Amino acid sequence: MVKNPSFSEAKKDDMTGLKVTNLCKIYRESTGEVNALGPVSFEVEAGGVLCFLGPTGCGKTTLLRSIAGLEKPDTGEVRIQSHPDGGEPVIGYVFQQGALFPWMSIFANLEFPLKVKSIDKDTRREKVESMLEMMRLSSFASSFPHQLSGGMQQRAALARSLVMEPDLLLMDEPFSSLDTRTSQELQENLRELLKKASTTVLFVTHNIEEAVYLAGKVIVLGHRPGRIVRRETIDLPDPRSRLSDSFTEYLVSLRKTFESLVSDQ
Amino acid sequence: MGRIGKYLPGLAIPCLLIVWWFAVTGGGRDTLLPSPEEVISVLFHPFQDLISTGSLAWSTLVSLVRVAMGFSLAALIGIPVGLLMGASRSARRFLSLMVEMARPLSAIALLPLSIIIFKAKTFSQLFGLQYLRYQKNLLNEMQLGMIFILFWGGVFPIILGTIQGVRSVRKMHLEAAGILGANRLFTFRHVIIPSALPDIFHGLKLGIGRCWMVIIAAEMLPGTNSGIGYLIRYSYQLSRYDIMLASIVIIAFIGALFSKGLESLGEKSLVLRSKER
């Protein structure tokens, strides 16, 4: 497993789901400037899953927020593949936790993005119901978020992002607040779902195993300023087994990079 | 039993007070303060004419309708103003100095001024219903000045509660709405307002409490001749302390009813937000 420098090399442009060039974010505070991120450049092919792996405070979240437009990067360019019908690309974003609207039922939460697009009521109902069924949430349609477990809440949050059929799905450590078992279960669900969908995914985590399980490609991000220290293609067959030797090999190799980052500090 | 049962412990001290009160004044003794029986007897005959001011029920109704009008006006103006001030920085800059200066001005202090401005005009005069003048009609009792000070008393807690609600919307919910495609108006209607509701209800609850205090005090001032506050002052002048105490009981009871009522209305939204992690 050598570093794969060809990873960022040009592919056909229409096959690129997301292309980020020289993205850089500096926070200006009274005490001075903090370079939080970059510059970083990378791209993800359409329908691919890219995991950003990095220790806490390496600018992973800043990266996602800049791509989503929640934060204005200082330099750099973000290009997202446009919608198949030629419209603006649709971006989904799954927060760490607690982004469901607590005053709305799960059904209403999922319906929200469809209502925004003024889709008619019957189509909305149909789409929400089939999404709930796919996420095995049908029996919770009329429950409120606080009545659900943390895992169920994240599942619903994921469903709310997917119901808009996003071209790009950004996930900010969505399972980090859950226990290992629930987290693994959701990872498995997600993998199943992504196999069917054509969504490009950017997943941010500090959990190496999660990254190896989900990703087609992994980028390891180092400490402040966030910079790319390693690019890795995860070449594992489907279904991925966490117990297989090759899985463990990736795990150990990435762990080594990770440890060296921490000791560099 | 269940719902009423939970209030029973709260009745312990009032009950003790009543027992003590009975021990001090009861048993047919002639004391300055009336005994509980006398007060209860007044309360149990709410439609009897009292010292030619109308019945207890009439006086209560007059006060309640005044409060209803003043409070509704306060809510109708206070909530939109609060929403505007919460959502727009320039509206806040423009209005907050005014609100902060006006807020500590006691509504009672403005009563004479409002009488000068509104000249003791009532609703029946406003609507040109002069023929009602010598009849017993609620519209005769709705002095515009009184409604104005009720509005004044109620509007500031409502404005401040609403601002607080709008400003305490979680940033993550706003960002989520934005990512889900909502524009500012949609976000305002479907995210900001619902998540501000608990604070708005809290403001309304404080507002109606203030209105109820203001009306009682305002009705005691010279120049009024109806309402439960007036009944207290007039019965005091005629040494009918049984009527005075009965009125006080009614005021306390209605005040509690107001805040409990608004609380249960707001409960749903409050529960949802407090349970959120």
Side-chain angles (χ1 to χ4, degrees), chain B residues 204-238:
Chain B
L204 289 174
K205 193 178 135 182
L206 291 179
I208 204 162
R210 288 271 292 275
C211 281
W212 193 232
M213 283 206 268
V214 167
I215 187 64
I216 302 300
E219 286 170 347
M220 284 192 196
L221 291 174
T224 30
N225 55 9
S226 60
I228 195 131
Y230 171 72
L231 191 60
I232 290 187
R233 185 171 67 93
Y234 194 54
S235 57
Y236 164 73
Q237 284 170 346
L238 298 181

Side-chain angles (χ1 to χ4, degrees), chain A residues 203-246:
Chain A
F203 193 104
V204 148
T205 181
H206 61 255
N207 181 334
I208 301 169
E209 194 191 304
E210 188 172 55
V212 175
Y213 186 78
L214 287 172
K217 278 165 187 149
V218 172
I219 291 181
V220 181
L221 216 54
H223 261 289
R224 288 180 187 235
R227 68 213 139 79
I228 293 172
V229 295
R230 181 171 169 189
R231 298 168 196 263
E232 187 67 65
T233 305
I234 308 291
D235 189 14
L236 286 174
D238 235 11
R240 288 187 179 174
S241 157
R242 292 172 207 276
L243 297 173
S244 72
D245 289 342
S246 44

Side-chain angles (χ1 to χ4, degrees), chain A residues 135-168:
Chain A
M135 298 298 279
R136 282 176 279 141
L137 283 166
S138 296
S139 51
F140 298 101
S142 55
S143 306
F144 285 88
H146 74 263
Q147 295 167 317
L148 267 59
S149 67
M152 283 296 185
Q153 288 185 18
Q154 281 312 83
R155 202 189 287 261
L158 180 57
R160 187 176 68 177
S161 300
L162 288 175
V163 81
M164 331 193 286
E165 292 160 16
D167 304 300
L168 174 66

Side-chain angles (χ1 to χ4, degrees), chain A residues 65 68 70 91-93 95 97-104 109 112-113 115-116 144 146 150 153 160-161 164, chain B residues 170-177 179-183 186 190-192 194-195 268 271-273 275-277:
Chain A
R65 292 175 61 86
L70 292 174
I91 301 177
Y93 197 107
F95 291 84
Q97 60 171 29
L100 290 172
F101 302 127
W103 57 87
M104 288 182 192
N109 262 289
F112 186 94
K115 242 180 173 167
V116 166
F144 285 88
H146 74 263
Q153 288 185 18
R160 187 176 68 177
S161 300
M164 331 193 286
Chain B
R170 289 186 56 184
K171 193 175 161 225
M172 191 194 280
H173 290 146
L174 294 179
E175 289 180 348
I179 283 184
L180 295 171
N183 60 20
F186 197 92
H190 293 277
V191 177
I192 294 178
S195 90
K268 203 176 157 200
V271 164
L272 288 182
R273 198 162 79 168
K275 289 240 174 105
E276 179 205 342
R277 285 175 307 161

